[in-house]
Amino acid sequence: MKGYLTTITLAVFTLSLSSCFLNKGKKSKGLPDDGQLHGVAPTARPSMTTPRNMVYIPPGTFHMGPSDEDISFNYTNRNRSMSIPGFWMDATEITNNQYRQFVNWVRDSLSFKILYGGGINKEDDTSAVDWRKVAQIKYDKATIEKLNELNLAPDNRLFGRNEIDPGKLKYKVEYFNLPEAAKRENADRPRKDFIVKYDEKVYPDTLVWIRDFSYSYNEPMTKRYFAHPSYGNYPVVGVTWKQAVAFCHWRTHYQNSFLEKKKFAVDGDYRLPSEAEWEYAARGGRTNSMFPWGNYYLRNKKGCLLANFKPGRGNYPEDGGFYTVKADAYWANDYGLYNMSGNVAEWTGSYFYEGSYNFMSDLSPDVRIEATDSDLPRMKRKVVRGGSWKDIAYYLQVSTRNYEYQDTAKSYIGFRCVIDLAPKSKK
């Protein structure tokens, strides 16, 4: 009996030591010294919250290309089967209010450097912005007087009003050019050769409302569209492709700063969707449909138009909006995306080449060119999709391709972002 109790005592003692060892191993930052392979996880917490106002587009395969007759007979979008991985996409186009957050962030960061950091024209300035001090900045007359480096020149002022010059609001874009670094011929080059840095103006070009239409009175839209609160939830326009890319970089930086502060793992980057991703998302799972809502009509059973475009011979207000409408107007497609056709056309991240469908991969296809200001205009063409409030129905088809130059702004082109996130970890 005594030996039996001793055996039980030893077993309990051994189990206690084992459980203490395991608990200690879970709490400790180090690994158990047992000579076995345990693996090392990153120190950050594994996942972030669901992106605000975005919807998940599941992975799948679809037929990319025309779902109807190619009426132009230019054969720039031959039908092919494409496979797309899952990603998150903005449910609506980026609105004036959302883009204004970007503009104000740039304004505030530059104002901080002028008021507290010695100016904005310092070379290689890497000083951090103290956002607690930024929150105390009030843009009254006395403060604006101190922002000499940001203000309009005296001869550019109306009625002598001292105001911030929108053209001086520039965001410092900085990123690592992964496609260039991945080329085999660049394998041994130093990392610094692939770091891209440049300044990009962020304020939208409000004069596009006048410039885009000859012999047309659109001055009220120029004065009010980005400035008036009534248009806050309308899609931002007058933004070039380069400004849209800068917005994506800022949104990534803004998110990652928060994640690092909260000890979360830094996740994906916001970017413009590829041409294939855009079409796949616009179809909403309807593989062979002409429009996001299906075939073949532009009205529902009640006779209501399903998008904001140019009906008939030009009855602009018939669809409920003379120019643009709110970003969440009409009905969402089966993925929960609004206005994938109509309202404003949308920038994608893809380069426009007439024959790209013939050679691009069928696995997450994309054709990109990092065009510089000195490159030929042909190299600066970016794919625009979806059609707009001033377009006829043909451009609303999800397969219709169009393009615009990356440094051009229009009153009928906006954008939305996508992001690739790591899968949620299961505990």
Side-chain angles (χ1 to χ4, degrees):
M1 184 69 178
K2 184 176 180 180
Y4 177 70
L5 289 174
T6 303
T7 303
I8 294 178
T9 303
L10 285 172
V12 172
F13 179 70
T14 302
L15 182 60
S16 299
L17 282 177
S18 177
S19 62
C20 291
F21 173 74
L22 291 174
N23 289 335
K24 184 178 180 181
K26 289 180 181 179
K27 295 179 180 179
S28 175
K29 293 183 180 180
L31 293 174
D33 187 15
D34 59 0
Q36 300 299 314
L37 182 65
H38 292 270
V40 179
T43 55
R45 285 186 282 176
S47 58
M48 58 174 277
T49 57
T50 300
R52 180 178 172 82
N53 296 328
M54 301 189 92
V55 297
Y56 183 64
I57 311 301
T61 299
F62 77 111
H63 292 285
M64 184 175 179
S67 300
D68 194 20
E69 182 182 6
D70 186 0
I71 60 174
S72 60
F73 295 102
N74 54 16
Y75 301 107
T76 62
N77 54 348
R78 295 175 181 271
N79 199 288
R80 284 188 62 189
S81 179
M82 303 291 190
S83 295
I84 306 294
F87 58 94
W88 292 82
M89 191 176 210
D90 284 319
T92 67
E93 295 123 351
I94 296 298
T95 65
N96 285 322
N97 282 345
Q98 292 171 329
Y99 193 84
R100 189 177 293 108
Q101 183 180 351
F102 173 40
V103 173
N104 288 352
W105 187 95
V106 174
R107 179 203 63 186
D108 293 344
S109 61
L110 294 175
S111 298
F112 172 84
K113 291 182 181 295
I114 294 173
L115 297 174
Y116 302 103
I120 60 176
N121 295 320
K122 296 166 60 178
E123 294 185 4
D124 299 326
D125 182 14
T126 58
S127 58
V129 175
D130 187 346
W131 291 101
R132 291 173 298 181
K133 290 184 177 180
V134 169
Q136 300 172 3
I137 298 176
K138 296 180 179 179
Y139 290 92
D140 51 20
K141 185 176 180 180
T143 301
I144 293 178
E145 288 288 344
K146 299 177 183 178
L147 303 176
N148 292 327
E149 295 176 78
L150 282 183
N151 293 339
L152 289 166
D155 56 347
N156 287 331
R157 298 173 186 175
L158 192 62
F159 298 110
R161 292 181 59 184
N162 193 5
E163 299 174 310
I164 292 176
D165 184 354
K168 294 180 180 179
L169 299 179
K170 298 179 181 179
Y171 177 71
K172 294 184 179 296
V173 179
E174 185 171 342
Y175 67 98
F176 192 75
N177 191 341
L178 287 174
E180 190 67 21
K183 293 180 179 178
R184 296 183 186 277
E185 61 268 26
N186 294 332
D188 296 325
R189 291 177 58 183
R191 191 173 188 266
K192 63 181 178 63
D193 290 351
F194 309 107
I195 296 177
V196 180
K197 298 180 182 180
Y198 63 90
D199 292 342
E200 184 62 42
K201 295 180 180 179
V202 301
Y203 203 86
D205 183 358
T206 57
L207 293 173
V208 292
W209 290 102
I210 299 175
R211 188 183 304 118
D212 289 344
F213 305 97
S214 301
Y215 307 106
S216 178
Y217 176 68
N218 295 301
E219 279 84 342
M221 296 299 286
T222 288
K223 293 180 179 179
R224 296 183 305 207
Y225 189 75
F226 189 68
H228 198 282
S230 293
Y231 291 98
N233 293 321
Y234 285 58
V236 67
V237 297
V239 174
T240 68
W241 181 88
K242 296 179 68 176
Q243 288 176 314
V245 169
F247 177 90
C248 293
H249 283 286
W250 165 79
R251 192 175 177 183
T252 301
H253 169 75
Y254 191 68
Q255 171 188 274
N256 289 347
S257 296
F258 171 80
L259 294 177
E260 290 171 353
K261 182 173 64 175
K262 297 296 183 179
K263 306 299 182 184
F264 278 109
V266 173
D267 218 309
D269 295 339
Y270 290 98
R271 56 182 176 82
L272 296 178
S274 69
E275 181 180 12
E277 287 174 331
W278 191 96
E279 182 174 330
Y280 174 66
R283 290 181 179 276
R286 299 172 183 262
T287 303
N288 294 313
S289 294
M290 296 167 58
F291 303 104
W293 52 83
N295 287 323
Y296 294 89
Y297 306 107
L298 297 166
R299 299 176 186 269
N300 62 15
K301 293 180 180 180
K302 296 182 179 180
C304 300
L305 287 167
L306 297 168
N308 180 23
F309 67 110
K310 181 181 178 180
R313 296 180 180 270
N315 189 355
Y316 288 96
E318 185 182 4
D319 52 37
F322 196 94
Y323 296 101
T324 60
V325 294
K326 287 186 176 181
D328 60 352
Y330 303 99
W331 293 270
N333 73 357
D334 290 347
Y335 285 155
L337 301 170
Y338 293 86
N339 288 306
M340 292 300 284
S341 288
N343 208 16
V344 294
E346 298 176 15
W347 290 113
T348 72
S350 300
Y351 168 68
F352 181 87
Y353 176 66
E354 290 84 348
S356 61
Y357 280 34
N358 296 323
F359 62 79
M360 63 185 182
S361 172
D362 61 355
L363 175 65
S364 190
D366 193 19
V367 178
R368 283 173 287 171
I369 288 182
E370 296 278 346
T372 63
D373 293 339
S374 60
D375 286 330
L376 296 173
R378 182 179 179 83
M379 299 178 66
K380 300 178 182 179
R381 299 190 303 178
K382 304 299 181 183
V383 175
V384 174
R385 288 299 200 104
S388 73
W389 59 269
K390 64 91 185 172
D391 289 321
I392 60 174
Y394 168 72
Y395 292 98
L396 269 60
Q397 294 186 37
V398 292
S399 61
T400 301
R401 304 182 76 199
N402 205 348
Y403 72 88
E404 192 51 75
Y405 296 96
Q406 66 181 32
D407 48 6
T408 301
K410 296 293 184 181
S411 61
Y412 46 84
I413 299 179
F415 69 100
R416 70 181 81 206
C417 304
V418 299
I419 187 173
D420 313 287
L421 296 181
K424 292 284 185 180
S425 61
K426 296 181 179 180
K427 296 182 179 180

